[in-house]
Structures are given as C-alpha cells and as structure tokens.
Amino acid sequence: MSDSQGPGAEPLSRLMGATVSRRGLVKGAAAVTAALAFPGGATAGATGLQRLPGSNADRVALARGLVSDLVIRWGDPLFLDAPGLDARAAARGALLEARPGVAARQYGYNNDAVHFFPLDGGRVRGLLCVNHEYTNEELFLPGLEGLETLEPARIEAYVRRHPQVVSLSLAMHGVSVLLVERDLRGRWRHVPGSRWARRITGASPCEITGPARGHPLLRTGADPAGVMVLGTLNNCAGGQTPWGTYLTAEENVDKYFGGAGALERADPALREAHRRMPPKPASEHGWEHVEARFDLAREPAEMLRFGWVVEIDPLDPSAVPKKRTALGRCKHECAATALTKNGRLAVYSGDDDRFEYLYKFVTADPVHPTKREANRDLLDRGTLYVARFDADGSGRWLPLVHGNGPLTPGNGFASQGDVVLRLRAAADLVGATPMDRPEDVAPDAATGRVYVSLTNNVNRQPVSTRGTWNGRELDLGPDAANPRGPNPFGHVIEIEEGGGDCGALAFRWSLLLEAGPDGGPSPLGSPDNLALDGEGNLWIVTDGKQPGGHHNGCFVVPTHGPERGRPRQVMSAPAGAEVCGCSFTPDFTTLFLAIQHPGEGGTLETPRSSWPDGPGHVPRPSLIALRREDGEPLG
Ligand code: FEO
Ligand code: CA
Ligand code: CA
C-alpha cells in the first residue's frame, strides 16, 4: 500500500462512503416511488427497464433503453510499448509460437471480477481491477479439445511438445489494473499506459501474511521460509476495501496441480492438509510436466499456497500483493465487504464447491476513516466465522478460532495457522451448513441485508442420504436452506444480520428466489455474481444452464414489493459465455460486466463464437460497460 494516494486519487473518506451513502439516502423514497408507478407491469418494474427475452445470438443483446461500451478485450495492450493481440492470426493458431512476455503486458484471459476505484470523484475516471480466472487453451491453441474432457495423456503429450504454452497460460492468468475514463458522450474507454497500469500473473511474487505465514506446511524448496509465493491463480470474484484496495479470491486452484498419488507416501499432516480440498492425479492444464512446483510428487506443499484471498493496492503498482491467510483457505468465490456498526470490516466469502460453506471474517480493529496507511494490514487480524442455517429461519455465525470448541490440539489444530489452512475441516467440526455451491455475496452495510447466490448442486439428494464428499462423510439430502435435491438451477438466500449489523453473530434468513423454469416471465438458472443497485434491487449474472435453453445473461430482481424475487432479464451474452463482474460505479450509472469464455464448448478449429471481433477472429473474453441511453442511474 502506498503512503500517499498520489495526485488525482479519491480522498479516503469518499472512497469509504461511496458504496453506502447514495444507496442509503435514496433507498426509501425511490423504492416507494418505483413500486407505486410501476406495480409489476410488463415493461417497467423496479428498474424502469424493458424485459429482454432470452437470446441465442452470438452477441451482447440488451433490453431497450440500454447501451454498452466494449471497454477492453483479452490481448489488448495495457502498456504503450506492448503489441496487441492479432485475433485473425490467433484464429489460425499463431499463439502456439507466441512469447509469454507479451501476454504479461496485455489484458489477460477470461475476465471475471471487476471492481471500480473512482478517481476525481469517479464520474469520468477510475481504475478497474479485473480478475483473469482461467484459460480455455482449446479456444486459442490448435489441436486441442476441451481440457476438462481431454485425457491426461494427451494433455501431457501436448505440453511436452509445446512447453512454451505453460508460461503463456500463466501469463494470461492473474489480475489487470487499468485506467478507464468516459468521453464526452459518456462512453467508457480504456486509457493504456497510465501510471497505474499493471499486470499480476500466475508467476508474480505475492507475500503470505497472517496466521499461516511461515507455517511448516507452506514451506517449499524455493521458499523455505513459507512467506513468498509465485503468482495468484483462478481469481474468480473479489471485493474492494473502504481504503481503496482490491481483494481477489483464488477459487479452483486444484485444477493446476498434478501428482496427487504421491500424497499416499507423504506424512500424515500433509495428507490431512489436502484431505478436504483434494488434488488430482493429473492437472487440467498439464503444467506439472513442465514446471516442478505444480507436481505434488516434487513439491507437495505448493498447492497449499493457493486458495487464499489476496489484497492488491491499485494505487501503488510497486506494492507486492498479499495473501491474507486470516480469511482462510478454500475455493474462495468472492471477498465482499461491508462496514460493521462499530466500524470494523466484514468480509463475506462463499466456498464454491458442492456441499461447502459460507464464511465471514470480521477485522479485530476498526477501519481508520482517514489514514489509509493505518489500514495496511487490518486484514491480518480478526475473527473468521462460518454460517449455520437453522430450519426455523434463524442462523449463527460460528467462530473458527483456535482453542475454541473442537478446534483444539486434540483434534489436530495446534494453532490458528492450522485452522485457516484446514478451513473446511475446521468448519466441519463446528457444525456449519453444507450449501449448494455458495458463490457471490452482496452485503448492504446500511441495512444489514446480505444476499448469497447458490449456483446449483446436481448432487444434492432428494432425501436424507449419508454419503462421502470431498473427504468427509455427511448427509447429502436437502435441508431448509438448500431445499431441493437435486438442485440444477440454484437459488438466492437473503440474510438479515442481527440488529442490521454486518458484525452480528446471529441472523435471520429466507429464500429470495428459487431459480428454474417456474421463476416467472424471465426465469434464470445458475445465479453467480451479484450486485445491489441504489434502490436495493439485486442484479444477478448467470453461469450455467438456463431454464429456457438460452445463453447466460444479466437479470434484475427486486428485493421489496410485489415483484420481490421475480427476475427480469436485461442482457444476454454471446455463445458459450458466462457473465461475470457485475459491479456498479458509485453513482450507479454504469454496470461493468465481464464476458467470460465466449465460444466455450467449441475449439479453435470449430468455433462456436467469434465475439466481439466477428467471423475469422478468435473469440475474446472482454469487458463491457452497461449504461442507460438517457444517462440515468440503472437502479
Ligand atoms: Fe469462478 Fe464459482 O465461479
Ligand atoms: Ca463465479
Ligand atoms: Ca462462474
């Protein structure tokens, strides 16, 4: 974190107020007006936007009254001296010979989380931090089918023949920091070469901080102290702190490591550390055949150094990213923040796997409202909780604190470092509720209402059934908070924190919506990322099967009034893509959406999509800015 914010940066107090003030101020009056003017009508509703029917077109389709700007595409240069991707040459297989150094200077692949950091008030200028979750090699390299279905032997043969593709893919992972600004017509554009421009990749040094720093299980041959990792991987959703830093969440990190068989001969502590997030015999990308650290037979601890929430200071391109281990290790979907009533920071995170849990971390110390530097390492100290949803509509945040309850040396937890490293196992012991893939979380600090998307769970059983999942035995049947077995379309839960305080230990909960074909005129499936607008409507983007067989999209769901829980589609994605991001500017006039993996399901040779550049071009994951034509706030 930089000592000063630099010229043009937003004062800390404004950054801190930005996400709650307008929402708090306008909510009451505006919500009432909207409900009276448009009582559930077909064309207006809570957002005043028309409903878009589902689409299967290979483009971004929008409800009438909306426009979008194509802000930046995979391969666009972040720096003035970097070349841009030639999407025509790439469609002919040219990336097989590409230099990875070039990719590390360009906007990465598969953009996911997007967060906006206002500069100069944020109406015309700001920084974007964007995650690049993973790569679809089959869409930009010749001679590959989908990596998830390809036999390991063929992946191994491919990377041994073309070892350069491993560093190319590593360079396409990670995070981008870029400057965006609006032109005179209100359109957003990327400004390359700003002094904040930065690429963090799967090979950039990141520091380990918090209770697991230096833990024996985090020490490797290359880092015997267990304090510095090369890279951040599978960065899914994220969050932003009131002091203007970015939180990026490492999700499916097990995809990158192979050689799990070697663990059978490893010492029991190491095996136990891997038990609840098990590695596979072969990775999805074959990296272990080229780089020793991705091979558990040669480096059994490296994988444990991924699966954390990482804090990045977008205002200081020289600041080393920090893996904040106090928030625990799992498949973190997000790190969504809200101030508590006593000025601390709550960070919510879903562990996106079937039958995994919802977490909340609350800092020990309050956020300093004006001195940015005082918040530098705030996320290293605090209390981590996991959610238990009870059948009577109540719920508890159960502390995951070493020495508390079952988290004792007798149960294998010798320190808080052990608790955060084996987070899932600790949560099992305290009695957390296994959920249907907890994804994004949208907390509203002003009301203490917190929305949680559960994407789906086809393995949820119709009736109570004992079974084994991810290294432990549990009941795979339905419960009150995950009522459908199987659950192919997912649901959204509304939590009301006790006393309206995101720092509370007790809450009430209810189902906001159960996705699927019965979900009204715009049924949605597989709710993924979430954002609240200025009037308390929940914006939902999807990742998965849609009830009508259409492409993924963006939906608006009122949380109050007669239309509560009834989605209205406003945007549809190109072929094969999921929609990610879903972050507003502080004035709610712009929603940033990341179009991830357009063309997935096809290959380079048999493309399903050529978005956004058109036929003859490789499809490019890209960032769009959604606005109203009339410039008014979206909510
Ligand atoms: Fe990266 Fe859970 O989606
Ligand atoms: Ca996601
Ligand atoms: Ca997703």
Side-chain angles (χ1 to χ4, degrees):
M1 190 178 299
S2 60
D3 290 312
S4 69
Q5 295 178 54
E10 190 75 349
L12 181 58
S13 53
R14 267 222 260 152
L15 280 171
M16 301 189 59
T19 52
V20 289
S21 58
R22 182 183 176 275
R23 184 179 298 155
L25 286 174
V26 302
K27 173 171 276 163
V32 169
T33 311
L36 288 176
F38 311 114
T43 57
T47 64
L49 292 172
Q50 299 252 345
R51 182 174 67 83
L52 176 78
S55 162
N56 286 316
D58 186 28
R59 63 186 180 89
V60 170
L62 298 173
R64 204 186 309 158
L66 289 177
V67 290
S68 70
D69 313 316
L70 182 64
V71 182
I72 187 167
R73 303 164 298 180
W74 159 53
D76 282 338
L78 291 185
F79 304 90
L80 294 174
D81 60 350
L85 176 78
D86 181 339
R88 262 190 201 282
R92 295 191 299 265
L95 281 175
L96 197 54
E97 306 304 329
R99 284 177 296 129
V102 172
R105 310 275 291 164
Q106 298 170 334
Y107 189 71
Y109 202 81
N110 270 350
N111 44 198
D112 197 307
V114 184
H115 283 270
F116 180 80
F117 296 80
L119 299 171
D120 312 324
R123 294 191 69 84
V124 293
R125 222 163 73 106
L127 300 179
L128 290 178
C129 291
V130 186
N131 284 347
H132 302 294
E133 186 180 17
Y134 69 105
T135 43
N136 291 82
E137 277 81 350
E138 76 279 11
L139 301 184
F140 60 83
L141 293 176
L144 281 171
E145 294 143 44
L147 295 183
E148 285 179 33
T149 51
L150 210 54
E151 309 98 79
R154 287 190 53 199
I155 295 176
E156 177 175 354
Y158 194 91
V159 300
R160 286 196 188 281
R161 201 160 58 240
H162 311 288
Q164 72 279 12
V165 303
V166 172
S167 30
L168 178 70
S169 297
L170 273 164
M172 291 181 183
H173 281 73
V175 174
S176 287
V177 182
L178 54 137
L179 176 66
V180 291
E181 67 176 23
R182 300 182 91 148
D183 66 15
L184 291 173
R185 292 172 59 187
R187 296 172 299 200
W188 288 98
R189 63 177 198 103
H190 167 225
V191 183
S194 82
R195 64 190 188 82
W196 298 283
R198 183 175 191 187
R199 264 312 305 286
I200 292 156
T201 73
S204 306
C206 299
E207 192 179 346
I208 300 173
T209 72
R213 177 182 168 89
H215 192 289
L217 287 169
L218 294 185
R219 298 175 193 162
T220 64
D223 174 32
V227 295
M228 196 65 89
V229 188
L230 288 184
T232 177
L233 289 172
N234 213 264
N235 306 79
C236 189
Q240 65 195 108
T241 66
W243 53 94
T245 59
Y246 179 55
L247 302 178
T248 176
E250 297 180 326
E251 191 194 9
N252 295 307
V253 298
D254 55 333
K255 295 207 300 195
Y256 303 100
F257 296 84
L263 285 183
E264 284 164 27
R265 302 177 298 276
D267 79 75
L270 186 65
R271 285 212 308 272
E272 174 59 18
H274 282 290
R275 171 174 60 90
R276 288 282 281 105
M277 223 167 112
K280 301 183 172 94
S283 77
E284 233 172 59
H285 298 257
W287 292 357
E288 71 273 27
H289 307 300
V290 175
E291 277 205 36
R293 68 182 176 120
F294 297 108
D295 182 1
L296 274 93
R298 289 180 282 175
E299 191 45 270
E302 182 74 357
M303 182 176 147
L304 300 172
R305 292 141 61 88
F306 294 84
W308 303 99
V309 170
V310 188
E311 186 175 12
I312 294 168
D313 186 353
L315 297 176
D316 179 4
S318 69
V320 175
K322 291 179 175 170
K323 299 205 176 192
R324 299 294 188 190
T325 66
L327 281 72
R329 176 176 184 266
C330 63
K331 294 189 178 182
H332 280 288
E333 172 78 16
C334 66
T337 65
L339 284 172
T340 69
K341 292 252 193 250
N342 61 8
R344 286 159 173 78
L345 193 69
V347 186
Y348 296 87
S349 189
D351 179 359
D352 181 12
D353 219 341
R354 292 164 198 171
F355 305 104
E356 292 304 338
Y357 306 124
L358 175 69
Y359 297 93
K360 173 168 88 170
F361 175 81
V362 181
T363 58
D365 298 311
V367 177
H368 198 291
T370 53
K371 233 170 93 190
R372 193 166 190 252
E373 193 57 18
N375 301 317
R376 177 204 279 265
D377 292 319
L378 206 64
L379 295 176
D380 284 342
R381 292 203 318 121
T383 307
L384 188 54
Y385 303 91
V386 65
R388 188 188 73 207
F389 294 83
D390 294 321
D392 64 357
S394 67
R396 300 289 304 178
W397 291 107
L398 309 167
L400 297 165
V401 175
H402 174 247
N404 233 28
L407 304 181
T408 58
N411 283 324
F413 294 93
S415 65
Q416 187 64 16
D418 282 350
V419 172
V420 296
L421 246 169
R422 286 161 39 222
L423 178 65
R424 287 177 168 184
D428 294 341
L429 285 180
V430 302
T433 304
M435 309 295 287
D436 288 346
R437 290 187 56 197
E439 291 246 13
D440 209 357
V441 182
D444 183 347
T447 63
R449 284 209 179 83
V450 180
Y451 297 89
V452 183
S453 54
L454 291 309
T455 287
N456 54 43
N457 185 353
V458 291
N459 296 94
R460 178 78 64 181
Q461 299 300 305
V463 294
S464 177
T465 312
R466 291 304 290 179
T468 303
W469 199 267
N470 272 348
R472 97 292 203 186
E473 203 188 288
L474 78 165
D475 188 345
L476 302 173
D479 57 42
N482 303 273
R484 295 188 292 184
N487 181 8
F489 292 110
H491 56 289
V492 177
I493 287 179
E494 180 186 75
I495 288 173
E496 288 184 67
E497 294 276 34
D501 179 3
C502 288
L505 300 186
F507 57 85
R508 303 286 307 169
W509 66 270
S510 60
L511 295 176
L512 176 69
L513 69 87
E514 291 185 276
D518 303 328
S522 271
L524 66 79
S526 307
D528 194 337
N529 298 121
L530 305 174
L532 284 164
D533 70 19
E535 294 169 9
N537 300 300
L538 190 64
W539 292 62
I540 301 178
V541 294
T542 65
D543 171 20
K545 192 165 81 169
Q546 297 308 300
H550 298 114
H551 290 174
N552 281 301
C554 177
F555 299 75
V556 189
V557 180
T559 59
H560 299 89
E563 291 290 289
R564 174 183 154 90
R566 288 173 66 81
R568 173 183 303 270
Q569 184 162 8
V570 295
M571 173 268 178
S572 171
E578 69 170 280
V579 189
C580 304
C582 204
S583 291
F584 286 102
T585 50
D587 63 5
F588 296 101
T589 58
T590 302
L591 180 72
F592 291 105
L593 295 177
I595 306 301
Q596 195 188 63
H597 58 73
E600 196 167 76
T603 63
L604 184 74
E605 292 81 5
T606 53
R608 275 188 75 195
S609 171
S610 59
W611 186 84
D613 297 341
H617 300 82
V618 74
R620 299 170 81 170
S622 301
L623 180 68
I624 65 170
L626 203 70
R627 298 179 285 112
R628 283 176 63 120
E629 263 172 350
D630 59 14
E632 290 296 306
L634 283 156

